[in-house]
Amino acid sequence: MLVDLDYFFAQCEEMRNSSIKDKSVVVCVYSGRSEESGAVSTANYIAREYGVKSGIPIYSAKKKLEDKDAVFLPVDHKFYSEISKKIMTILRSYADRFQQAGIDEAYLDVSQKVKGNFEEAKELAQKIKKEIKAQQKLTCSIGIGPNKLIAKIAADVQKPDGLTIVKPEEVESFLSPLPVKRLIGVGRKTVKKMENLEIKTIGDLAKYDMQKLITLFGKSMGAYFHNAAMGIDDNLVQERGEAESISRIHTLHENTRDLKVILEEADHLCEEVHERLVKQSLSFKTIGIIMITTDLNMRTRSKTLKSPTNDLESLKKTVKELFEKIINETELEARRVGVKVSNFVKGKRRQKQITDFIGIAKN
Ligand code: TTP
Ligand code: MG
């Protein structure tokens, strides 16, 4: 699930001083150049009804609220951060895995806690909302979905004080009528470009030919747009400080170009990496090798698989492939060799329905 506090800075101000609750509340970042120069940080929902929102100039917000009962306050980051910290502590206690995604939002992986049951997830979300209300007197909106992408969009469709649940079988009907701008990474320019292609909704985008998207937006964005429109997202709720990759590197007994020697060592490294993956119940999509040659240059190659795996044999096979390649690309001997996996997915997931980007990257 994604939990996002409603009109956060402005709600903190209302909480601190309840007498402003029924007025338009506008939190401002004053630039100091003149009395009214600067921008709106955020506004409560009363002010939003008059068109006041994050990012607009303060003078324009003042104009919109000219004859209304409105309060303009300067941002007080210290105060909001303290409240944020307390809320994050509460949220963390409800999650199997936790990732703070901003001052007022966090992803909670609750899959195990609710045993994959969406009804239970809903009850858990209600409990979380209640606790935040009781302890901090704040409301939030929660989105629940089979992955981070869906949870984030779900949290956004019903605000303030919303709770939106999207079960796996509802993903398509949920996404398809929404405008493409709901997807992360689809900004104003992309919206324009897509509009010219008659792509207005996420449903239009999902139906659009992926190869054409790749031609138009580049390999990685094209594939991402296609996947996202289908509701596919394998990203893990990433605990802070948690490794984004797992690697092992070893110095060879003597410098060599003998593939047999190198692969023997690489196999060991694969086993060690694999052991750690199993312990953390992670699957990976990207496999990389590292070779430090006698000139002390580090060379790397990597390959991204079609779908995540945690299979040791696939790991060894790809590592072998990559070492065969890299050895052919240099005359030098290897001094140290390493294996690295990244692009993690928790546990083992279903196979993807579409073929996404497969490639051997040089870096
Ligand atoms: P958001 O969660 O994007 O906005 P919000 O909490 O004010 O409103 P919503 O109910 O839609 O969630 O951002 C969190 C805080 O970050 C927000 O309260 C103020 C700050 N912020 C800015 O200072 N400038 C900005 O442009 C945005 C979007 C947010
Ligand atoms: Mg918010």
Side-chain angles (χ1 to χ4, degrees), residues 4-8 104-105 159:
D4 186 336
L5 276 301
D6 300 320
Y7 61 104
F8 184 53
D104 79 332
E105 64 183 293
K159 261 177 163 295

